[in-house]
Amino acid sequence: MSAGLNWDDLRFFLAVAEAGSLSAASSVLKVNTTTVLRRVASLEDSLGARLFDRSRSGYRLTPRGERLLAQLAPVDQRLSALTRDFVADENEADAVVRVMAGEAVASAMLAPRLPGFRDEHPELHLEIVAEPSLTGPAPSAGAPGGSMKDIDVAIRFARPTQGNVIVRKIGDMAYGLYASRAYTAVRGVPREPGRLEGHQVIGFAVSESPLGPVWWMSRAEQGASVVIRSNAVGVRAEAARQGLGLAALPCIVGDRDPMLVRVGEPEDVGALELWLVTHNDTAHVGRVRDAMDFVVACAKEARSALMGEGAVAGEPAGVGANDDQAAVTAAE
């Protein structure tokens, strides 16, 4: 074991633990991969322990690496809280609030209502950080180096189980099964819910967590031909528009697309919960509260579209969505 521990090596350890590879960590830290490798090796030498198992797929924590990660969690959280406390004391003028959400939620639920928010809060600048995958890179909001570290407000599809955070359920996002009209004209529609034999399928990425729609699709696609997989809603939607196959998409996306028809219902495909998450130590800050209120209002106004209400299976998508938007406009 080395005589002394270089505390800065811990920063490199946390980056690799979060990113899962040297290249991804080097991009975050803005150094080359050789530097990251050297610093991790230095830490392992100092502790006399192997912290990662190396493989072609990336770096995975060993049991001792997981133990170190757990021990660093309180320290990392306190340092992050310290930074946020100082920022919270700054002048509110030209303040920036970072809001993280899944790709579909960010584009279909939040973005359409940004002009109204801007009119009400011209001094506050929102930065929307969109994630393509369902759950994002960090399953728990309090994980060291996790995705909530530099985020003020987040919308997650699974309730965080760790961290000094406040969580609130704000709704559900239903999924349906969609295809282009050109596809259904040639191959028809599934005869039974959950049985896609003989069809072409646009699947979820194999790395996605087995939440509702992912779990349903993993069973339904058995016997079907999976032509492509993607963790991005936009990629799956475009592949469906091009007639490649059936895709499970959020109803708030699929129902508004005139090039798609719904061929599978939300009660079969499933839904994801929407959880609002924020740091407990900054939830009282005015600009953070404003952003939280905005997210809650967006979820409330988009409830019908999120649940896929109003659309009719087998008819061109977009009809129900237009009705829903008219109802929201009337309510405003």
Coordinates of all heavy atoms in Angstrom, one line a residue, residues 87-131:
V87 N -24.8 29.4 -4.0 CA -25.5 29.9 -5.2 C -26.8 30.4 -4.8 O -27.3 31.4 -5.3 CB -25.6 28.7 -6.2 CG1 -26.5 29.1 -7.3 CG2 -24.2 28.3 -6.7
A88 N -27.5 29.8 -3.8 CA -28.8 30.2 -3.4 C -28.8 31.6 -2.8 O -29.8 32.3 -2.8 CB -29.4 29.2 -2.4
D89 N -27.7 32.0 -2.3 CA -27.6 33.3 -1.7 C -27.3 34.4 -2.7 O -27.3 35.6 -2.3 CB -26.5 33.3 -0.6 CG -26.9 32.5 0.6 OD1 -28.1 32.3 0.8 OD2 -26.0 32.0 1.3
E90 N -27.0 34.1 -3.9 CA -26.7 35.1 -4.9 C -28.0 35.8 -5.3 O -29.1 35.4 -5.1 CB -26.1 34.4 -6.2 CG -24.7 33.8 -5.9 CD -24.2 33.1 -7.1 OE1 -24.9 33.0 -8.1 OE2 -23.0 32.7 -7.1
N91 N -27.8 36.9 -6.1 CA -28.9 37.7 -6.6 C -29.7 36.9 -7.5 O -29.2 36.1 -8.3 CB -28.3 38.9 -7.3 CG -29.4 40.0 -7.6 OD1 -30.5 39.6 -8.0 ND2 -29.0 41.2 -7.3
E92 N -31.0 37.0 -7.4 CA -32.0 36.2 -8.2 C -32.0 36.6 -9.6 O -32.5 35.9 -10.5 CB -33.4 36.3 -7.6 CG -33.5 35.6 -6.2 CD -33.6 34.1 -6.4 OE1 -34.3 33.6 -7.3 OE2 -32.9 33.4 -5.6
A93 N -31.5 37.8 -9.9 CA -31.6 38.4 -11.3 C -30.7 37.5 -12.2 O -29.6 37.1 -11.9 CB -31.0 39.8 -11.3
D94 N -31.3 37.2 -13.4 CA -30.6 36.4 -14.4 C -30.2 35.0 -13.8 O -29.2 34.5 -14.2 CB -29.4 37.1 -14.9 CG -29.8 38.4 -15.7 OD1 -30.8 38.4 -16.4 OD2 -29.0 39.4 -15.5
A95 N -31.0 34.5 -12.9 CA -30.7 33.2 -12.3 C -31.0 32.1 -13.3 O -31.9 32.2 -14.2 CB -31.6 33.0 -11.1
V96 N -30.3 31.0 -13.2 CA -30.5 29.8 -14.0 C -30.9 28.6 -13.2 O -30.3 28.4 -12.1 CB -29.2 29.5 -14.8 CG1 -29.3 28.2 -15.6 CG2 -28.7 30.6 -15.7
V97 N -32.0 27.9 -13.6 CA -32.4 26.7 -13.0 C -32.3 25.6 -14.0 O -32.9 25.7 -15.1 CB -33.9 26.9 -12.5 CG1 -34.3 25.6 -11.9 CG2 -34.0 28.0 -11.4
R98 N -31.7 24.5 -13.6 CA -31.5 23.4 -14.5 C -32.6 22.3 -14.2 O -32.7 21.9 -13.1 CB -30.1 22.8 -14.4 CG -29.0 23.8 -14.7 CD -27.7 23.1 -14.7 NE -27.5 22.3 -16.0 CZ -26.8 21.2 -16.1 NH1 -26.2 20.6 -15.1 NH2 -26.6 20.7 -17.3
V99 N -33.4 22.0 -15.2 CA -34.5 21.0 -15.1 C -34.1 19.8 -15.9 O -33.9 20.0 -17.1 CB -35.8 21.6 -15.4 CG1 -36.9 20.6 -15.3 CG2 -36.1 22.8 -14.6
M100 N -34.1 18.6 -15.4 CA -33.8 17.4 -16.1 C -35.1 16.6 -16.3 O -35.9 16.5 -15.4 CB -32.8 16.6 -15.4 CG -32.5 15.2 -16.0 SD -31.2 14.3 -15.2 CE -29.8 15.0 -15.9
A101 N -35.3 16.1 -17.5 CA -36.5 15.3 -17.8 C -36.2 14.4 -18.9 O -35.2 14.6 -19.7 CB -37.7 16.2 -18.2
G102 N -37.0 13.3 -19.1 CA -36.8 12.4 -20.2 C -37.1 13.2 -21.5 O -37.8 14.2 -21.5
E103 N -36.6 12.6 -22.6 CA -36.8 13.3 -23.9 C -38.2 13.6 -24.2 O -38.5 14.7 -24.6 CB -36.2 12.4 -25.0 CG -36.3 12.9 -26.4 CD -35.9 11.8 -27.4 OE1 -35.5 10.7 -27.0 OE2 -36.1 12.1 -28.6
A104 N -39.1 12.7 -24.1 CA -40.5 12.9 -24.4 C -41.2 13.9 -23.5 O -41.9 14.8 -24.0 CB -41.3 11.6 -24.4
V105 N -40.9 13.8 -22.2 CA -41.5 14.8 -21.3 C -41.0 16.2 -21.6 O -41.7 17.2 -21.5 CB -41.2 14.4 -19.8 CG1 -41.6 15.4 -18.9 CG2 -41.9 13.0 -19.5
A106 N -39.7 16.3 -21.8 CA -39.1 17.6 -22.0 C -39.7 18.3 -23.3 O -40.0 19.5 -23.3 CB -37.6 17.5 -22.2
S107 N -39.8 17.5 -24.4 CA -40.2 18.1 -25.6 C -41.7 18.2 -25.8 O -42.2 19.2 -26.3 CB -39.7 17.3 -26.8 OG -40.2 15.9 -26.8
A108 N -42.5 17.2 -25.2 CA -43.9 17.2 -25.4 C -44.7 17.9 -24.3 O -45.8 18.4 -24.5 CB -44.4 15.8 -25.7
M109 N -44.1 17.8 -23.1 CA -44.9 18.3 -21.9 C -44.4 19.7 -21.5 O -45.2 20.6 -21.2 CB -44.8 17.3 -20.7 CG -45.7 17.7 -19.6 SD -45.5 16.5 -18.2 CE -44.3 17.4 -17.2
L110 N -43.1 19.9 -21.4 CA -42.5 21.1 -20.9 C -42.4 22.2 -22.0 O -42.8 23.3 -21.8 CB -41.1 20.9 -20.3 CG -41.1 19.9 -19.1 CD1 -39.7 19.8 -18.5 CD2 -42.1 20.4 -18.0
A111 N -41.7 21.8 -23.1 CA -41.4 22.8 -24.1 C -42.6 23.7 -24.7 O -42.5 24.9 -24.8 CB -40.7 22.2 -25.3
P112 N -43.8 23.0 -24.9 CA -44.9 23.8 -25.4 C -45.3 24.9 -24.5 O -46.0 25.9 -24.9 CB -46.0 22.8 -25.6 CG -45.3 21.5 -25.8 CD -44.1 21.6 -24.9
R113 N -45.0 24.8 -23.2 CA -45.5 25.8 -22.2 C -44.4 26.8 -21.7 O -44.6 27.5 -20.8 CB -46.1 25.0 -21.0 CG -47.4 24.3 -21.5 CD -47.8 23.3 -20.4 NE -49.1 22.6 -20.8 CZ -49.2 21.7 -21.7 NH1 -48.1 21.2 -22.3 NH2 -50.4 21.2 -22.1
L114 N -43.3 26.7 -22.4 CA -42.2 27.6 -22.0 C -42.5 29.1 -22.3 O -42.1 29.9 -21.5 CB -40.9 27.2 -22.7 CG -40.2 25.9 -22.2 CD1 -39.0 25.5 -23.0 CD2 -39.8 26.1 -20.7
P115 N -43.1 29.4 -23.4 CA -43.4 30.8 -23.6 C -44.2 31.5 -22.4 O -43.9 32.6 -22.0 CB -44.3 30.8 -24.9 CG -43.8 29.6 -25.6 CD -43.6 28.6 -24.5
G116 N -45.2 30.8 -21.9 CA -46.0 31.3 -20.8 C -45.1 31.5 -19.6 O -45.3 32.4 -18.8
F117 N -44.3 30.5 -19.3 CA -43.4 30.6 -18.1 C -42.4 31.8 -18.3 O -42.2 32.5 -17.3 CB -42.6 29.3 -18.0 CG -41.6 29.3 -16.8 CD1 -42.1 29.0 -15.5 CD2 -40.3 29.6 -17.0 CE1 -41.2 29.1 -14.5 CE2 -39.4 29.6 -15.9 CZ -39.9 29.3 -14.7
R118 N -41.9 32.0 -19.5 CA -41.0 33.1 -19.8 C -41.7 34.4 -19.6 O -41.1 35.4 -19.0 CB -40.5 33.0 -21.2 CG -39.5 34.1 -21.6 CD -38.3 34.0 -20.9 NE -37.3 35.0 -21.3 CZ -36.2 35.3 -20.7 NH1 -35.8 34.6 -19.6 NH2 -35.4 36.2 -21.1
D119 N -43.0 34.5 -20.0 CA -43.7 35.8 -19.8 C -43.9 36.1 -18.3 O -43.8 37.2 -17.9 CB -45.1 35.7 -20.4 CG -45.0 35.7 -21.9 OD1 -44.0 36.1 -22.5 OD2 -46.0 35.2 -22.6
E120 N -44.1 35.0 -17.5 CA -44.3 35.2 -16.0 C -43.0 35.4 -15.3 O -43.0 36.1 -14.2 CB -45.1 34.0 -15.5 CG -46.5 33.8 -16.0 CD -47.2 32.6 -15.4 OE1 -46.6 32.0 -14.4 OE2 -48.3 32.2 -15.8
H121 N -41.9 34.8 -15.8 CA -40.7 34.9 -15.1 C -39.5 35.3 -16.0 O -38.6 34.5 -16.3 CB -40.3 33.6 -14.4 CG -41.4 33.1 -13.5 ND1 -41.5 33.5 -12.2 CD2 -42.4 32.2 -13.7 CE1 -42.6 32.9 -11.6 NE2 -43.1 32.1 -12.5
P122 N -39.6 36.5 -16.5 CA -38.5 36.9 -17.5 C -37.1 37.0 -17.0 O -36.2 36.9 -17.7 CB -39.0 38.3 -17.9 CG -39.8 38.8 -16.8 CD -40.5 37.6 -16.2
E123 N -37.0 37.0 -15.6 CA -35.7 37.1 -15.0 C -35.1 35.7 -14.8 O -33.9 35.6 -14.4 CB -35.8 37.8 -13.6 CG -36.4 37.0 -12.5 CD -37.8 36.6 -12.6 OE1 -38.5 37.2 -13.5 OE2 -38.3 35.7 -11.9
L124 N -35.9 34.7 -15.0 CA -35.4 33.3 -14.7 C -35.2 32.6 -16.0 O -36.0 32.5 -16.8 CB -36.4 32.6 -13.8 CG -36.0 31.4 -13.0 CD1 -36.9 31.1 -11.8 CD2 -36.0 30.1 -13.9
H125 N -34.0 32.0 -16.1 CA -33.6 31.2 -17.3 C -33.6 29.7 -17.0 O -32.9 29.3 -16.1 CB -32.3 31.7 -17.8 CG -32.2 33.1 -18.1 ND1 -32.8 33.7 -19.2 CD2 -31.6 34.2 -17.4 CE1 -32.5 35.0 -19.2 NE2 -31.8 35.3 -18.1
L126 N -34.4 29.0 -17.7 CA -34.5 27.6 -17.6 C -33.5 26.9 -18.5 O -33.4 27.3 -19.7 CB -35.9 27.0 -17.8 CG -37.0 27.2 -16.8 CD1 -38.2 26.5 -17.2 CD2 -36.5 26.6 -15.4
E127 N -32.8 25.9 -18.0 CA -32.0 25.1 -18.9 C -32.6 23.7 -18.8 O -32.6 23.0 -17.7 CB -30.5 25.0 -18.4 CG -29.6 24.2 -19.3 CD -28.2 24.2 -18.9 OE1 -27.8 25.1 -18.1 OE2 -27.4 23.3 -19.2
I128 N -33.1 23.2 -19.9 CA -33.8 21.9 -19.9 C -32.8 20.9 -20.4 O -32.2 20.9 -21.5 CB -35.0 21.9 -20.9 CG1 -36.0 23.0 -20.5 CG2 -35.7 20.5 -20.8 CD1 -36.6 22.9 -19.2
V129 N -32.5 19.9 -19.5 CA -31.5 18.8 -19.8 C -32.4 17.6 -20.1 O -33.0 17.0 -19.2 CB -30.6 18.6 -18.6 CG1 -29.6 17.4 -18.9 CG2 -29.9 19.8 -18.2
A130 N -32.4 17.2 -21.4 CA -33.2 16.1 -21.8 C -32.4 14.8 -21.9 O -31.3 14.7 -22.4 CB -33.8 16.3 -23.2
E131 N -33.0 13.7 -21.3 CA -32.4 12.4 -21.3 C -33.1 11.5 -22.3 O -34.3 11.5 -22.3 CB -32.4 11.7 -19.9 CG -31.7 12.4 -18.8 CD -32.0 11.8 -17.5 OE1 -33.0 11.2 -17.3 OE2 -31.1 11.8 -16.7

